[in-house]
Amino acid sequence: MAEIDIRIEGKIGRVTLNRPDALNALTYDMVLKIDDALDAWANDDRVALILIDAVGDKAFCAGGDIQQLYDTASAGDYEYGRKFWRDEYRMNAKLANFPKPCIALMHGFTMGGGVGVSCHGSHRVVCESSQISMPECGIGLVPDVGGSLLLAQAPGRLGEYLGTTGARMKAGDAIYCGFADYYIPQTDWAELTARLVETGDYTRVDEMAQTPPASALEAQQEQIDKAFGGETINDILNGFDDSDWCLAAAKTLGRGCPLSIAASIALVHRVRGFTSIEPALKQEFRFTYRSASDGDFVEGIRAAIVDKDRNPKWKIPTLRDVRDIDVTKMLMPLGKNDLKLEDTHMKIGFIGLGNMGAPMARNLVAAGHAVSVFDVAGISVEGANTVQTAADAATEADVVITMLPNGAILRNVAGEVIPAMKSGACLVDCSTVDVESARTVAEQTRAAGLLSVDAPVSGGIGGAEAGTLTFMAGGSEAAFAVANPLFDIMGQKAVHCGDAGAGQAAKICNNMILGATMIVTCEAFALADKLGLDRQKMFDVASTSSGYSWSMNAYCPAPGVGPTSPSDNDYKPGFAAELMLKDLNLAQQAAEAADASTPLGQHARDMYAAFVEDGGLGMDFSAMLPHLSNQKYDA
Ligand code: NAD
């Protein structure tokens, strides 16, 4: 039999973990197979309920399979673990929300990941051999797989105690603490299973349940509440007295990872009050995501499982050394890497794969979206489906993104894609174009029953590659809501500026500032040269004084000075001078139409026009510096 056996038996869907030699530890493949089974059985009328059990005497499931996690993380590859946890937590959430009864038979050890595939079910059965625990702090993790929710819901301060010490719950304890519901001796399980298979009736579990043994933890409740009532681990330690119980608890805590223990207390406190598993999993994921890169996960596994020397060298050596900020850093949001439990994958058509479009499309592919791409220049993007026309990219797409040179091209492309788009889909134009073109396209989409957003960007190629662009969006609330998760992937910030055209309006105002500041930054370097001032010194002063700006600090036009920018690459664009001229022209058009006074913007436009004519075409817009150094402007 394979390491997991998934089948329909009689009236039930049955999942049997079958790695008894590895205490049924969950591999990534097992996680995915359980996930698939849950998807398949949720709406399958043949399946009245699900039964999850396991082969072997010792364990239902001793946790996640740590070997591959360790091998990859110790080699510096943190992505495997993150993928494993992400998919495991999605499966845990599916199980917790499963629309049919879910019965788990938990004999022997049920630890960590094992809790995640059993204790979120509706009917959790324990027996005389059951021992349930969340021992993650021992290996540099925190209680996860939704375990933090179960801990937070346990009576009094049991959650803090169980989550930090990894103490084992026997059958009576597990029922007392809310990790199990029914006690049925293991000798009766074959009979129970047969009845379930035959009838598909979950009330058979109630019929066979017996009175559980007394809970030893219940007897310690008062002691536990008193000792573990503090807000932080330091508060808790300060409250320990010199009773044998406290000494034993302190000794157990001393064996765990200090950062994990401190974070587990914070985690249980944050999760207390939640009633659903999703926010708990999201909090847990923040820690596990960082556990190998910033925490002690690799060292924890090495000491406990690989070398078995039980002598871990934790990054923060003792509980007393852990500061609040250390915990905050492990539990703070992950931005676009935060755990997403909703199925957010979309079909996306991406048109225009130049300097900006290609890396933007690449980031969407990396985030798991199905992307079809088209560019007249025949450019393709790894992992995306290259198609032959713009209309092909738009057919079936939930969202069509355009990243094109100008408004005239946008209007042509829109004419081609709008008729091909499915009803309700959203056209997101990220190019910089005139407000009029943006509004025309928005009107066409509206007439065709589609949504649209004009969403030009700031941040340049570096931002497009790193996924840190800023989006300035114009369109309805509904359209913005559709596009926003994609802005989250391609950028770090999206501002909903108003109705159709508002994004382009914000963009041209922004770029008028950029054009003028780049010119004056270049003028300052050219003047500094003439005054015999070292460029680096000039940067050191201006970048930290009132002369600082994005042009100076992030995109310095002087080669070898400041962060790497197109000036360090012979002024290859980057952001081409002719595109800056385009934006400055757009700003002037808009200023004329609105009767706004923009003399400096006008002068910047004239200077870029002269520069583009005089050798600047195809150069980065920061090449204004060598241009100015060589010639005097009277314009
Ligand atoms: P680019 O010239 O590198 O890319 C444009 C792409 O569009 C090219 O690959 C071209 O082949 C393709 N294209 C042209 N006509 C097409 C058509 N009909 N169908 C399909 N593809 C077509 O330009 P870019 O630097 O990627 O800039 C794209 C847009 O983003 C512009 O509007 C620009 O103003 C804006 N922008 C650029 C930057 C930057 O730093 N480069 C920054 C912010 C905004």
Side-chain angles (χ1 to χ4, degrees):
M1 204 175 15
E3 57 186 23
I4 187 162
D5 188 15
I6 295 181
R7 71 277 189 204
I8 295 179
E9 266 183 26
K11 298 193 170 172
I12 72 171
R14 190 162 174 196
V15 176
T16 303
L17 311 181
N18 184 34
R19 292 184 77 208
D21 294 345
L23 299 181
N24 293 317
L26 285 184
T27 61
Y28 184 48
D29 187 51
M30 290 161 81
V31 166
L32 297 182
K33 288 201 165 116
I34 297 172
D35 192 74
D36 285 348
L38 294 174
D39 282 344
W41 291 341
N43 297 312
D44 185 337
D45 291 340
R46 294 172 301 165
V47 173
L49 58 84
I50 293 184
L51 178 69
I52 305 181
D53 60 3
V55 170
D57 303 331
K58 293 204 182 87
F60 166 74
C61 173
D65 185 45
I66 280 165
Q67 191 62 49
Q68 184 101 29
L69 289 169
Y70 176 78
D71 290 345
T72 50
S74 57
D77 169 10
Y78 306 130
E79 289 311 313
Y80 172 81
R82 290 166 180 169
K83 188 158 68 104
F84 184 108
W85 285 310
R86 196 178 268 123
D87 288 334
E88 183 181 26
Y89 296 177
R90 285 191 182 129
M91 180 270 286
N92 299 143
K94 250 179 225 177
L95 191 69
N97 296 314
F98 199 69
K100 299 176 183 178
C102 213
I103 299 162
L105 303 182
M106 301 179 278
H107 71 283
F109 295 117
T110 298
M111 306 199 286
V115 167
V117 287
S118 53
C119 296
H120 301 305
S122 57
H123 294 67
R124 303 153 310 165
V125 179
V126 282
C127 64
E128 56 281 11
S129 69
S130 299
Q131 298 209 49
I132 302 180
S133 63
M134 298 301 290
E136 287 85 354
C137 285
I139 53 167
L141 291 176
V142 289
D144 65 341
V145 298
S148 66
L149 181 68
L150 296 164
L151 291 170
Q153 292 174 337
R157 300 297 180 158
L158 268 162
E160 286 87 331
Y161 170 70
L162 293 168
T164 53
T165 60
R168 292 176 184 168
M169 292 172 267
K170 293 193 172 168
D173 299 323
I175 292 175
Y176 178 69
C177 293
F179 280 68
D181 310 291
Y182 299 91
Y183 178 76
I184 301 177
Q186 203 173 352
T187 43
D188 292 350
W189 286 9
E191 171 65 19
L192 171 65
T193 303
R195 289 192 199 177
L196 291 170
V197 167
E198 189 191 331
T199 63
D201 180 359
Y202 66 88
T203 62
R204 301 289 181 237
V205 181
D206 297 80
E207 279 170 19
M208 297 189 69
Q210 298 188 9
T211 307
S215 162
L217 287 173
E218 184 176 7
Q220 298 171 54
Q221 180 82 61
E222 200 178 319
Q223 175 69 68
I224 288 170
D225 289 354
K226 184 163 164 267
F228 279 81
E231 190 53 31
T232 65
I233 188 64
N234 267 306
D235 297 341
I236 289 172
L237 293 177
N238 289 340
F240 274 14
D241 55 32
D242 53 9
S243 64
D244 287 348
W245 192 93
C246 284
L247 288 176
K251 196 171 165 201
T252 307
L253 290 173
R255 285 198 286 266
C257 167
L259 181 59
S260 294
I261 290 172
S264 297
I265 296 289
L267 183 61
V268 170
H269 290 176
R270 285 184 188 203
V271 170
R272 188 161 283 139
F274 292 164
T275 51
S276 63
I277 193 172
E278 285 81 1
L281 289 167
K282 287 180 184 186
Q283 293 278 342
E284 295 165 1
F285 185 67
R286 293 175 181 176
F287 190 100
T288 47
Y289 182 94
R290 298 179 170 107
S291 60
S293 54
D294 307 328
D296 287 304
F297 175 60
V298 174
E299 176 61 6
I301 300 289
R302 184 206 62 71
I305 290 165
V306 178
D307 297 344
K308 295 194 170 67
D309 61 14
R310 315 247 164 229
N311 188 21
K313 300 277 178 285
W314 306 119
K315 284 185 177 147
I316 302 175
T318 74
L319 285 168
R320 293 286 188 191
D321 297 323
V322 186
R323 301 161 306 162
D324 289 352
I325 182 74
D326 300 319
V327 171
T328 304
K329 279 187 179 163
M330 294 301 283
L331 292 179
M332 67 186 183
L334 293 161
K336 63 176 183 287
N337 292 319
D338 267 325
L339 180 66
K340 294 182 187 63
L341 292 163
E342 312 74 30
D343 185 9
T344 51
H345 288 174
M346 293 186 193
K347 281 190 182 159
I348 299 171
F350 206 113
I351 300 164
L353 303 163
N355 290 319
M356 298 292 289
M360 289 164 73
R362 218 172 285 132
N363 285 334
L364 294 172
V365 170
H369 292 292
V371 186
S372 291
V373 296
F374 173 68
D375 189 294
V376 278
I379 301 165
S380 55
V381 166
E382 201 182 327
N385 172 34
T386 308
V387 293
Q388 296 311 311
T389 66
D392 287 347
T395 315
E396 294 299 315
D398 303 301
V399 172
V400 175
I401 301 177
T402 47
M403 195 55 175
L404 298 162
N406 60 47
I409 294 178
L410 169 67
R411 272 181 271 137
N412 276 340
V413 170
E416 214 184 313
V417 298
I418 288 172
M421 287 171 71
K422 66 179 184 191
S423 166
C426 185
L427 177 61
V428 180
D429 175 45
C430 296
S431 337
T432 307
V433 303
D434 55 293
V435 177
E436 210 35 55
S437 292
R439 291 195 173 138
T440 306
V441 169
E443 182 46 37
Q444 288 167 349
T445 52
R446 200 192 54 75
L450 303 170
L451 299 170
S452 72
V453 187
D454 52 287
V457 302
S458 160
I461 296 176
E465 280 166 356
T468 55
L469 295 169
T470 295
F471 289 82
M472 302 149 231
S476 66
E477 289 287 349
F480 183 73
V482 171
N484 202 25
L486 304 182
F487 297 154
D488 243 13
I489 294 163
M490 298 183 287
Q492 61 184 349
K493 187 173 171 189
V495 181
H496 189 191
C497 301
D499 290 337
Q504 295 297 351
K507 172 70 186 175
I508 56 177
C509 291
N510 180 73
N511 273 24
M512 190 172 77
I513 299 173
L514 175 63
T517 52
M518 179 54 84
I519 291 172
V520 82
T521 304
C522 294
E523 285 180 356
F525 274 112
L527 174 61
D529 291 344
K530 296 259 154 91
L531 297 175
L533 178 61
D534 180 68
R535 285 183 168 184
Q536 182 64 48
K537 300 290 177 211
M538 146 90 174
F539 174 83
D540 291 345
V541 172
S543 65
T544 54
S545 306
S546 44
Y548 82 95
S549 67
W550 188 83
S551 301
M552 174 63 79
N553 291 41
Y555 206 92
C556 184
V561 178
T564 305
S565 69
S567 67
D568 300 305
N569 190 22
D570 294 331
Y571 294 100
K572 290 198 186 80
F575 184 39
E578 59 271 27
L579 287 179
M580 173 48 85
L581 175 59
K582 179 190 87 173
D583 292 359
L584 291 167
N585 275 324
L586 292 175
Q588 286 317 294
Q589 271 173 32
E592 273 162 38
D595 198 20
S597 168
T598 55
L600 207 52
Q602 188 177 343
H603 199 59
R605 189 267 308 270
D606 294 344
M607 287 183 70
Y608 269 103
F611 172 46
V612 166
E613 249 177 49
D614 191 13
L617 187 69
M619 306 278 284
D620 188 74
F621 83 119
S622 61
M624 185 61 89
L625 174 54
H627 187 69
L628 286 173
S629 299
N630 295 336
Q631 101 176 59
K632 180 169 164 296
Y633 261 90
D634 302 317

